[in-house]
Amino acid sequence: METPSSDASAPSPWADAERIVLGRDARGGAVAVALDRGGEHGRRPLSSTELPVWVSAREAEGAATGRGIRWVWSSTAAWYSALLGAGVRVSRAHDLRLCHAVLRDAVPSASALREATAWDGAPAEAGPSAGALFELDDLSGNGAAGSRRPGRDGVAETVAELLRQDAAVAQAAHPGRMRLLLAAESAGALAAAEMRAAGVPWDAEHHDRILRDALGDRRAGGAPARMTRLAAEVREALGDPALSIDSPPRLLRALQRAGIRVESTSKWELGEIEHPAIAPLLEYKRLARLLTANGWAWLDEWVRDGRFRPVYIPGGVVTGRWASSGGGALQLPRQLRGALRADPGWRIVAADVAQLEPRVLAAMARDERMAEAARGRDLYEGIVAAGAVRTRAEAKIAVLGAMYGATTGDSGRLVPRLRRVFPDAMALVDAAARTGEEGGVVTTWLGRTSPPPDDAWRAAQARASRSGASPADETRALRIGRDRGRFTRNYVVQGTAAEWALAWLADVRLRLTRLAPVDSGEGAPRSGPAFARRAHLAFFLHDEVIVHAPAEHADAAAEALREAAEAAGRLLFGAFPIDFPLDLRISDSAAKD
């Protein structure tokens, strides 16, 4: 076993490690443990100043041998930020908390892993010296999973959890796919941490101009000028000079007093009404949303030194999609995209996938007719060409209805046409819906498993099944069952699309590291020491990736995005002939026409 040394690059057994675990000792200090197929063969304590230097040396060592290293830690959010702050990146990692959540639901037979409930909580967002996850009484790693009290992420328990996860993967229905899912999930966590460290390049002055153009001048303690004028128009049209437009109950009563028959103040319902108050009211509501979600208060709070640094939550949605716990990165309005602007001498390289979810559905179902409709063109136009519907608008309505279980209106009329022309794709989502209605769980392509039915579903089915159940009981059970069927119908598609997107993101990330850092110009120092001179991921939104790249590397970054999309399709779906075309743009900003 290796002993501590001040020489971070001294010869050691670390080059032979397949995985290196980072955990904590009883005093909170970092400890690295090298693991290969034979078990542990190296252990080293590291101070906070030694850690980034030592990790950097091991990364270089792994690259030189061609083996690479996979770092294993309790949470990427908890460990990686300190390394990035020191300018150190890692190629691969295994995020135990994210992977625990996947395996806990996907492998019911893995009882030891399911009993390790201390790993069920949300990860810390601080660096490795804060937000401790486990405090161990027994550092030998011999106790039962449930015998450890919560506290710091102790090295023995971290190793024990890794071994539990290894055993669970072996019990999965498709171990190969599960390993791919865990690798993609962990790679996404690395990307999320890196994007937060680098930040989204943001032009605060341009954002301010957008707000002024839309809202009028900023006013302390009052609504902007344009909103004030619109509010006055609404009050006059409704004959209520004291109306509080921002109060939905009061607004609804004012609308009804004016003879406008509406049940809510939603824009969808108001948009069907002809009245002088409606147009200014809808415009007021649109501007109010902009002011509240991304107005000057948002700009003051979230943009510092030319960067917006959102807080991503990988796997934050049950389907595997990301969520955000700060800054609203996943809800940025289209009109503000012009503020996402490259630094001088750099470019924004943006790519989004056309019709990702229906293309994924075609690949999952091995529906060759649907794949042919998508090949080399807009999928909805291909559906029209296949004779399923008459117009592109109808094709979009039909496909969304198929994936979300719509049974009324235009969707209800058009979905049966898809069922005749693309029976394999429709059979897949129909089967997922039936499973959900009956109380079963469904899985994505790689094995993420949907939650089981909730208490409301179980109670409704129990009431409907008992002797003497009323028609109302049966109707309610049927409705709740269909609601769950719509959820599982969409789960398999949205979850698999999220897996494809993670594979794409992970591949782009690695391809960008192969581009040499630039040695001319001032770089992008506000992106931090790890990214100041090299192309890097800046933004991710379900089916869109944005790269911030030196101008001389913009074309190479665009090619990396394109090649990674092709590779992600092959990785998940093998030789099945489905393509994932990108809308690629290289510009000074992320604005869309």
Side-chain angles (χ1 to χ4, degrees):
M1 190 173 296
E2 189 183 25
T3 56
S5 169
S6 60
D7 181 2
S9 60
S12 73
W14 301 96
D16 295 327
E18 295 176 346
R19 296 179 290 189
I20 298 180
V21 176
L22 290 180
R24 298 254 162 221
D25 62 22
R27 294 172 297 281
V31 179
V33 177
L35 301 176
D36 63 11
R37 294 185 186 277
E40 178 180 335
H41 67 92
R43 180 179 289 227
R44 174 171 180 146
L46 295 159
S47 70
S48 58
T49 54
E50 288 178 313
L51 179 63
V53 177
W54 189 86
V55 168
S56 179
R58 299 290 75 76
E59 274 285 308
E61 193 175 68
T65 62
R67 291 171 57 88
I69 291 171
R70 189 175 298 278
W71 299 89
V72 180
W73 45 42
S74 57
S75 160
T76 299
W79 281 87
Y80 197 26
S81 60
L83 298 175
L84 290 170
V88 175
R89 300 177 67 197
V90 302
S91 296
R92 300 185 298 170
H94 183 93
D95 187 308
L96 288 168
R97 281 188 174 269
L98 286 175
C99 294
H100 180 92
V102 172
L103 291 167
R104 175 198 61 211
D105 297 333
V107 189
S109 61
S111 57
L113 181 134
R114 293 170 67 84
E115 291 167 4
T117 56
W119 289 88
D120 288 339
E125 293 178 2
S129 61
L133 303 174
F134 289 92
E135 181 76 57
L136 303 185
D137 293 321
D138 173 14
L139 295 178
S140 67
N142 293 324
S147 68
R148 297 168 172 82
R149 58 188 178 86
R152 296 187 184 279
D153 49 340
V155 63
E157 174 58 13
T158 303
V159 172
E161 172 62 16
L162 175 61
L163 297 179
R164 288 192 290 266
Q165 293 191 13
D166 286 348
V169 169
Q171 298 174 53
H174 300 284
R177 290 187 184 185
M178 181 57 64
R179 280 190 287 270
L180 178 56
L181 174 57
L182 301 184
E185 191 85 340
S186 296
L190 292 176
E194 291 174 357
M195 285 189 285
R196 186 178 185 188
V200 182
W202 202 266
D203 187 333
E205 293 183 1
H206 189 85
H207 187 150
D208 179 70
R209 287 196 298 272
I210 292 172
L211 294 178
R212 290 178 184 275
D213 289 346
L215 302 170
D217 289 341
R218 185 177 188 177
R219 293 182 175 180
R226 190 173 178 205
M227 289 179 62
T228 299
R229 289 196 300 271
L230 289 167
E233 292 180 32
V234 174
R235 293 186 183 106
E236 181 178 359
L238 294 178
D240 189 343
L243 172 63
S244 174
I245 297 177
D246 296 317
S247 169
R250 294 180 182 178
L251 176 60
L252 181 60
R253 288 195 294 271
L255 290 167
Q256 293 171 341
R257 282 196 301 269
I260 301 173
R261 296 183 178 180
V262 290
E263 299 299 324
S264 74
T265 61
S266 74
K267 67 177 182 179
W268 311 111
E269 187 170 0
L270 293 174
E272 301 294 323
I273 305 297
E274 291 187 11
H275 187 279
I278 298 303
L281 175 57
L282 291 175
E283 180 64 4
Y284 178 93
K285 289 167 69 72
R286 184 183 72 84
L287 297 181
R289 284 192 297 273
L290 173 63
L291 178 64
T292 300
N294 299 101
W296 287 287
W298 182 93
L299 189 58
D300 292 342
E301 180 178 1
W302 285 100
V303 178
R304 293 283 188 278
D305 192 27
R307 291 294 183 270
F308 162 43
R309 301 183 191 276
V311 182
Y312 293 108
I313 305 176
V317 179
V318 293
T319 59
R321 274 190 168 190
W322 286 15
S324 174
S325 70
L330 305 182
Q331 293 90 32
L332 286 179
R334 187 184 184 93
Q335 70 193 101
L336 287 183
R337 289 178 62 97
L340 200 168
R341 185 168 294 271
D343 288 356
W346 288 58
R347 295 290 182 270
I348 296 298
V349 186
D352 56 81
V353 192
Q355 302 106 26
L356 173 58
E357 290 189 359
R359 291 173 189 274
V360 161
L361 171 58
M364 294 173 68
R366 294 314 203 237
D367 193 317
E368 294 188 0
R369 291 192 65 184
M370 194 170 186
E372 177 61 31
R375 192 165 302 125
R377 58 182 166 183
D378 178 277
L379 182 143
Y380 299 132
E381 294 289 357
I383 289 174
V384 173
V389 293
R390 293 176 299 175
T391 67
R392 186 183 186 280
E394 285 188 340
K396 186 172 183 178
I397 291 170
V399 169
L400 293 177
M403 292 190 300
Y404 287 90
T407 58
T408 60
D410 287 340
S411 292
R413 174 175 59 86
L414 296 170
V415 167
R417 301 183 189 179
L418 285 188
R419 195 169 278 113
R420 289 194 298 270
V421 179
F422 306 115
D424 294 334
M426 290 302 301
L428 187 146
V429 289
D430 288 345
R434 286 194 300 273
T435 298
E437 289 177 11
E438 295 167 0
V441 297
V442 295
T443 61
T444 61
W445 186 251
L446 296 182
R448 190 186 299 272
T449 303
S450 67
D454 60 16
D455 292 340
W457 182 93
R458 287 191 290 269
Q461 306 311 313
R463 281 194 297 271
S465 300
R466 68 189 177 186
S467 176
S470 69
D473 289 335
E474 295 173 354
T475 299
R476 184 170 186 273
L478 183 62
R479 176 180 56 79
I480 291 178
R482 286 176 175 169
D483 287 346
R484 176 165 170 76
R486 281 190 288 271
F487 165 72
T488 52
R489 172 187 292 272
N490 181 245
Y491 184 95
V492 295
V493 180
Q494 186 182 113
T496 302
E499 291 166 356
W500 182 92
L502 276 180
W504 179 38
L505 183 70
D507 200 339
V508 171
R509 174 180 174 270
L510 292 179
R511 289 173 189 271
L512 292 178
T513 64
R514 299 169 194 160
L515 301 179
V518 295
D519 56 8
S520 60
E522 64 180 33
R526 291 174 293 185
S527 293
F531 306 105
R533 293 195 170 276
R534 62 190 321 144
H536 56 268
L537 295 167
F539 186 74
F540 174 55
L541 177 61
H542 305 322
D543 58 2
E544 180 181 18
V545 172
I546 291 178
V547 173
H548 191 214
E552 63 198 80
H553 285 166
D555 289 337
E559 188 62 22
L561 285 159
R562 185 182 296 109
E563 291 176 349
E566 295 174 359
R570 292 192 300 271
L571 183 65
L572 264 68
F573 305 118
F576 184 77
I578 187 71
D579 57 359
F580 295 91
L582 302 182
D583 177 14
L584 267 167
R585 304 172 302 281
I586 300 175
S587 181
D588 291 333
S589 79
K592 289 186 176 181
D593 297 332

